[in-house]
Amino acid sequence: MRMRKKSNGEQRKKLLSSLSCESIVGFTDKIEKIYGNNNPLRIEIGCGKGDFIRAKSVQEPNYNYLAIEKISDVCVLAIENYARSRGLGDLAKNGGWEAPDGTIYPLDSDPIEFTNEQKGNVRFMVGDAAQLL
């Protein structure tokens, strides 16, 4: 089944972009900066809505995870689901993102900055796994 295009998907992805990475190029050289540690990296290709990677990251917290999804709208859902599971907030009723303290970040806001502790051990990337090679 094909997923419908997400309303304001790119803006939603931008708001939570501190949970994602833009490029696989040079990624392994930046692991400490991206995750705040040097734990071994595991990659999930085709993360879908992120259910598996969320469960795995809790089961094995001594690994860093990179979840790659080719379809941007699907990746947006995975990022939002992960942020929700980390207690970082939820979609705001009138658009944007609502933090646990009630702060609402409109869709046109700058990306929300989270600490490495808040981000946990998963990052997301929109891209084609064929580019890994």
Side-chain angles (χ1 to χ4, degrees):
M1 175 192 266
R2 189 173 79 87
M3 178 171 284
R4 292 185 195 151
K5 183 149 182 65
K6 295 295 157 210
S7 176
N8 301 308
E10 288 304 310
Q11 293 94 333
R12 288 163 55 182
K13 189 174 76 165
K14 180 185 165 217
L15 269 180
L16 299 175
S17 64
S18 68
L19 297 173
S20 62
C21 304
E22 292 298 317
S23 173
I24 197 73
V25 177
F27 184 84
T28 55
D29 296 333
K30 301 181 239 176
I31 288 178
E32 186 170 2
K33 181 179 178 192
I34 292 169
Y35 294 93
N37 62 57
N38 277 323
N39 292 345
L41 179 68
R42 291 188 169 174
I43 299 174
E44 180 185 17
I45 297 172
C47 71
K49 295 177 186 174
D51 295 335
F52 176 80
I53 202 76
R54 282 194 320 273
K56 204 67 171 154
S57 70
V58 171
Q59 289 172 358
E60 298 180 347
N62 294 324
Y63 287 93
N64 293 323
Y65 294 92
L66 176 62
I68 300 174
E69 176 54 53
K70 188 175 185 177
I71 301 168
S72 182
D73 286 335
V74 177
C75 195
V76 167
L77 289 179
I79 294 168
E80 290 173 346
N81 288 338
Y82 180 71
R84 217 175 275 114
S85 75
R86 300 280 308 164
L88 302 178
D90 203 345
L91 288 173
K93 287 182 175 55
N94 296 324
W97 189 258
E98 185 173 355
D101 65 3
T103 303
I104 295 181
Y105 298 89
L107 290 172
D108 60 353
S109 297
D110 289 334
I112 303 167
E113 289 299 321
F114 300 111
T115 66
N116 282 331
E117 184 178 326
Q118 289 174 311
K119 293 181 204 178
N121 58 341
V122 179
R123 301 296 180 274
F124 297 85
M125 183 180 295
V126 174
D128 189 342
Q131 296 175 351
L132 290 174
L133 300 176

PDB file of all heavy atoms in Angstrom, residues 18-19 88 113-120 123:
ATOM      1  N   SER A  18      17.286  17.790  13.995  1.00  0.00           N
ATOM      2  CA  SER A  18      18.412  17.428  14.859  1.00  0.00           C
ATOM      3  C   SER A  18      18.407  15.929  15.163  1.00  0.00           C
ATOM      4  O   SER A  18      19.384  15.404  15.698  1.00  0.00           O
ATOM      5  CB  SER A  18      18.410  18.245  16.150  1.00  0.00           C
ATOM      6  OG  SER A  18      17.321  17.906  16.967  1.00  0.00           O
ATOM      7  N   LEU A  19      17.326  15.225  14.780  1.00  0.00           N
ATOM      8  CA  LEU A  19      17.270  13.769  14.925  1.00  0.00           C
ATOM      9  C   LEU A  19      17.634  13.058  13.623  1.00  0.00           C
ATOM     10  O   LEU A  19      17.511  11.844  13.530  1.00  0.00           O
ATOM     11  CB  LEU A  19      15.856  13.338  15.354  1.00  0.00           C
ATOM     12  CG  LEU A  19      15.379  13.851  16.703  1.00  0.00           C
ATOM     13  CD1 LEU A  19      13.915  13.490  16.911  1.00  0.00           C
ATOM     14  CD2 LEU A  19      16.238  13.295  17.814  1.00  0.00           C
ATOM     15  N   LEU A  88       9.755  13.780  23.686  1.00  0.00           N
ATOM     16  CA  LEU A  88      10.167  15.091  23.189  1.00  0.00           C
ATOM     17  C   LEU A  88       9.006  15.937  22.688  1.00  0.00           C
ATOM     18  O   LEU A  88       9.214  17.024  22.184  1.00  0.00           O
ATOM     19  CB  LEU A  88      11.207  14.919  22.063  1.00  0.00           C
ATOM     20  CG  LEU A  88      12.474  14.157  22.453  1.00  0.00           C
ATOM     21  CD1 LEU A  88      13.392  14.003  21.252  1.00  0.00           C
ATOM     22  CD2 LEU A  88      13.191  14.845  23.601  1.00  0.00           C
ATOM     23  N   GLU A 113      16.397  22.213  18.770  1.00  0.00           N
ATOM     24  CA  GLU A 113      17.653  21.622  19.224  1.00  0.00           C
ATOM     25  C   GLU A 113      17.402  20.762  20.460  1.00  0.00           C
ATOM     26  O   GLU A 113      16.816  21.231  21.423  1.00  0.00           O
ATOM     27  CB  GLU A 113      18.678  22.709  19.535  1.00  0.00           C
ATOM     28  CG  GLU A 113      19.206  23.417  18.302  1.00  0.00           C
ATOM     29  CD  GLU A 113      19.919  22.480  17.338  1.00  0.00           C
ATOM     30  OE1 GLU A 113      20.650  21.574  17.799  1.00  0.00           O
ATOM     31  OE2 GLU A 113      19.729  22.644  16.127  1.00  0.00           O
ATOM     32  N   PHE A 114      17.851  19.530  20.396  1.00  0.00           N
ATOM     33  CA  PHE A 114      17.769  18.619  21.525  1.00  0.00           C
ATOM     34  C   PHE A 114      19.173  18.276  21.978  1.00  0.00           C
ATOM     35  O   PHE A 114      20.113  18.301  21.182  1.00  0.00           O
ATOM     36  CB  PHE A 114      17.049  17.322  21.127  1.00  0.00           C
ATOM     37  CG  PHE A 114      15.642  17.515  20.634  1.00  0.00           C
ATOM     38  CD1 PHE A 114      15.320  17.301  19.308  1.00  0.00           C
ATOM     39  CD2 PHE A 114      14.634  17.901  21.500  1.00  0.00           C
ATOM     40  CE1 PHE A 114      14.031  17.471  18.849  1.00  0.00           C
ATOM     41  CE2 PHE A 114      13.330  18.079  21.051  1.00  0.00           C
ATOM     42  CZ  PHE A 114      13.030  17.860  19.720  1.00  0.00           C
ATOM     43  N   THR A 115      19.331  17.933  23.240  1.00  0.00           N
ATOM     44  CA  THR A 115      20.633  17.470  23.733  1.00  0.00           C
ATOM     45  C   THR A 115      20.866  16.049  23.230  1.00  0.00           C
ATOM     46  O   THR A 115      19.920  15.360  22.826  1.00  0.00           O
ATOM     47  CB  THR A 115      20.667  17.460  25.277  1.00  0.00           C
ATOM     48  OG1 THR A 115      19.732  16.479  25.745  1.00  0.00           O
ATOM     49  CG2 THR A 115      20.344  18.830  25.861  1.00  0.00           C
ATOM     50  N   ASN A 116      22.114  15.590  23.281  1.00  0.00           N
ATOM     51  CA  ASN A 116      22.409  14.211  22.873  1.00  0.00           C
ATOM     52  C   ASN A 116      21.650  13.215  23.730  1.00  0.00           C
ATOM     53  O   ASN A 116      21.200  12.181  23.246  1.00  0.00           O
ATOM     54  CB  ASN A 116      23.918  13.923  22.926  1.00  0.00           C
ATOM     55  CG  ASN A 116      24.636  14.497  21.732  1.00  0.00           C
ATOM     56  OD1 ASN A 116      24.055  14.628  20.656  1.00  0.00           O
ATOM     57  ND2 ASN A 116      25.883  14.848  21.910  1.00  0.00           N
ATOM     58  N   GLU A 117      21.472  13.522  25.001  1.00  0.00           N
ATOM     59  CA  GLU A 117      20.722  12.639  25.886  1.00  0.00           C
ATOM     60  C   GLU A 117      19.260  12.545  25.434  1.00  0.00           C
ATOM     61  O   GLU A 117      18.675  11.464  25.409  1.00  0.00           O
ATOM     62  CB  GLU A 117      20.791  13.130  27.328  1.00  0.00           C
ATOM     63  CG  GLU A 117      20.119  12.193  28.310  1.00  0.00           C
ATOM     64  CD  GLU A 117      20.249  12.680  29.742  1.00  0.00           C
ATOM     65  OE1 GLU A 117      21.270  13.285  30.091  1.00  0.00           O
ATOM     66  OE2 GLU A 117      19.294  12.437  30.500  1.00  0.00           O
ATOM     67  N   GLN A 118      18.666  13.675  25.065  1.00  0.00           N
ATOM     68  CA  GLN A 118      17.288  13.669  24.585  1.00  0.00           C
ATOM     69  C   GLN A 118      17.168  12.910  23.263  1.00  0.00           C
ATOM     70  O   GLN A 118      16.200  12.193  23.040  1.00  0.00           O
ATOM     71  CB  GLN A 118      16.778  15.095  24.390  1.00  0.00           C
ATOM     72  CG  GLN A 118      16.540  15.851  25.675  1.00  0.00           C
ATOM     73  CD  GLN A 118      16.188  17.300  25.411  1.00  0.00           C
ATOM     74  OE1 GLN A 118      16.865  17.995  24.651  1.00  0.00           O
ATOM     75  NE2 GLN A 118      15.105  17.753  26.026  1.00  0.00           N
ATOM     76  N   LYS A 119      18.150  13.068  22.400  1.00  0.00           N
ATOM     77  CA  LYS A 119      18.113  12.427  21.084  1.00  0.00           C
ATOM     78  C   LYS A 119      18.239  10.917  21.170  1.00  0.00           C
ATOM     79  O   LYS A 119      17.756  10.209  20.298  1.00  0.00           O
ATOM     80  CB  LYS A 119      19.247  12.949  20.204  1.00  0.00           C
ATOM     81  CG  LYS A 119      19.130  14.385  19.801  1.00  0.00           C
ATOM     82  CD  LYS A 119      20.296  14.737  18.912  1.00  0.00           C
ATOM     83  CE  LYS A 119      20.620  16.181  18.916  1.00  0.00           C
ATOM     84  NZ  LYS A 119      21.784  16.494  18.074  1.00  0.00           N
ATOM     85  N   GLY A 120      18.924  10.430  22.183  1.00  0.00           N
ATOM     86  CA  GLY A 120      19.109   8.990  22.285  1.00  0.00           C
ATOM     87  C   GLY A 120      20.114   8.474  21.276  1.00  0.00           C
ATOM     88  O   GLY A 120      20.993   9.202  20.817  1.00  0.00           O
ATOM     89  N   ARG A 123      19.442   7.990  14.793  1.00  0.00           N
ATOM     90  CA  ARG A 123      19.331   9.106  13.861  1.00  0.00           C
ATOM     91  C   ARG A 123      18.701   8.571  12.584  1.00  0.00           C
ATOM     92  O   ARG A 123      18.822   7.393  12.263  1.00  0.00           O
ATOM     93  CB  ARG A 123      20.687   9.740  13.537  1.00  0.00           C
ATOM     94  CG  ARG A 123      21.440  10.279  14.735  1.00  0.00           C
ATOM     95  CD  ARG A 123      20.727  11.427  15.445  1.00  0.00           C
ATOM     96  NE  ARG A 123      21.508  11.890  16.578  1.00  0.00           N
ATOM     97  CZ  ARG A 123      21.459  11.371  17.797  1.00  0.00           C
ATOM     98  NH1 ARG A 123      20.662  10.367  18.057  1.00  0.00           N
ATOM     99  NH2 ARG A 123      22.203  11.851  18.771  1.00  0.00           N
TER     100      ARG A 123
END
